[in-house]
Amino acid sequence: MDISTVNSLCYEDFVDTFGNVVERGPLMAAAVWSHRPFSNLSELEAHISDFIDKLPESGKEGILRCLPDLAGRDLQRGTLSRESQDEQSQAGDTGMASLSPAETTRMHQLNADYKKRFGFPFVICAKMSDKAGILRQLAERSGNDLSQERECAISEVKKICCLRLRNLVLSETRNKQ
Ligand code: 2AL
């Protein structure tokens, strides 16, 4: 859809459309609707980013806790959101479903250690990485302190949000084509 269609949506339709650009985050969409009309996709994205930045640390951690683990229980059970399913299956060439048994064990262990340390799941924009990069980042970022890591994880949420938005709204460049 183009930006004028976005601007014409009632809030119910807006929340239905954008309620998962931040995973399980309809509150974000419902809040950002107040800022219509948006002049372009970047402005919509900036309002979401701004909303997230203004949250207290507990709110940011709440956003992180709404993301499913990579290669975790939801992937195994087939209960990921459509967007997450798509991202986890497109990490690198083959996706998170194709981890070897040894990689799966390592991933589960690192994820569990990370969660124990920070109290939220390890989050990374899977489409911008691959299996090796994800495992490396997981090990490296586990060494961060809490505030550093919270900000790092939130910046990954914003990258995921940006890609999800681009799947829904034509960007300015594509509009001109
Ligand atoms: C995810 C997810 O579901 N999609 C993505 O790009 N990253 N989850 C996560 N824990 O990083």
Side-chain angles (χ1 to χ4, degrees):
M1 74 179 72
D2 61 19
I3 201 70
S4 59
T5 309
V6 173
N7 288 328
S8 71
L9 295 176
C10 63
Y11 71 78
E12 290 94 336
D13 289 342
F14 189 89
V15 172
D16 281 350
T17 308
F18 296 106
N20 210 50
V21 292
V22 177
E23 183 81 13
R24 290 188 270 169
L27 172 67
M28 251 74 66
V32 157
W33 184 82
S34 311
H35 294 288
R36 291 160 315 124
F38 308 103
S39 28
N40 50 42
L41 173 58
S42 309
E43 196 189 323
L44 168 58
E45 199 181 318
H47 280 295
I48 297 174
S49 175
D50 194 43
F51 182 91
I52 294 174
D53 289 341
K54 287 184 176 141
L55 288 171
E57 307 312 351
S58 60
K60 291 180 183 162
E61 291 181 8
I63 287 182
L64 297 172
R65 291 186 191 117
C66 285
L67 274 111
D69 283 349
L70 287 166
R73 157 177 102 164
D74 287 315
L75 178 69
Q76 281 154 8
R77 290 180 183 167
T79 51
L80 288 171
S81 67
R82 189 173 37 78
E83 294 88 345
S84 247
Q85 174 71 45
D86 185 43
E87 290 150 5
Q88 297 210 20
S89 66
Q90 285 180 33
D93 292 336
T94 49
M96 301 311 292
S98 68
L99 293 178
S100 69
E103 286 168 331
T104 304
T105 306
R106 179 159 165 72
M107 186 86 189
H108 287 174
Q109 188 56 55
L110 287 171
N111 261 331
D113 293 348
Y114 178 102
K115 264 194 220 179
K116 197 167 168 198
R117 176 160 160 72
F118 296 113
F120 49 80
F122 171 74
V123 174
I124 190 166
C125 178
K127 277 190 177 173
M128 291 185 180
S129 195
D130 56 22
K131 282 192 299 187
I134 288 170
L135 281 164
R136 195 180 52 246
Q137 283 283 310
L138 182 43
E140 279 175 21
R141 282 172 41 191
S142 294
N144 282 345
D145 67 32
L146 174 61
S147 74
Q148 208 179 9
E149 182 50 23
R150 195 195 292 116
E151 288 316 306
C152 185
I154 284 292
S155 78
E156 295 297 319
V157 168
K158 291 182 184 176
K159 289 182 200 167
I160 296 168
C161 173
C162 168
L163 296 185
R164 290 184 182 185
L165 277 172
R166 265 151 226 232
N167 273 340
L168 293 166
V169 184
L170 293 168
S171 70
E172 301 89 286
T173 330
R174 280 158 74 200
N175 269 333
K176 282 184 195 143
Q177 283 169 356

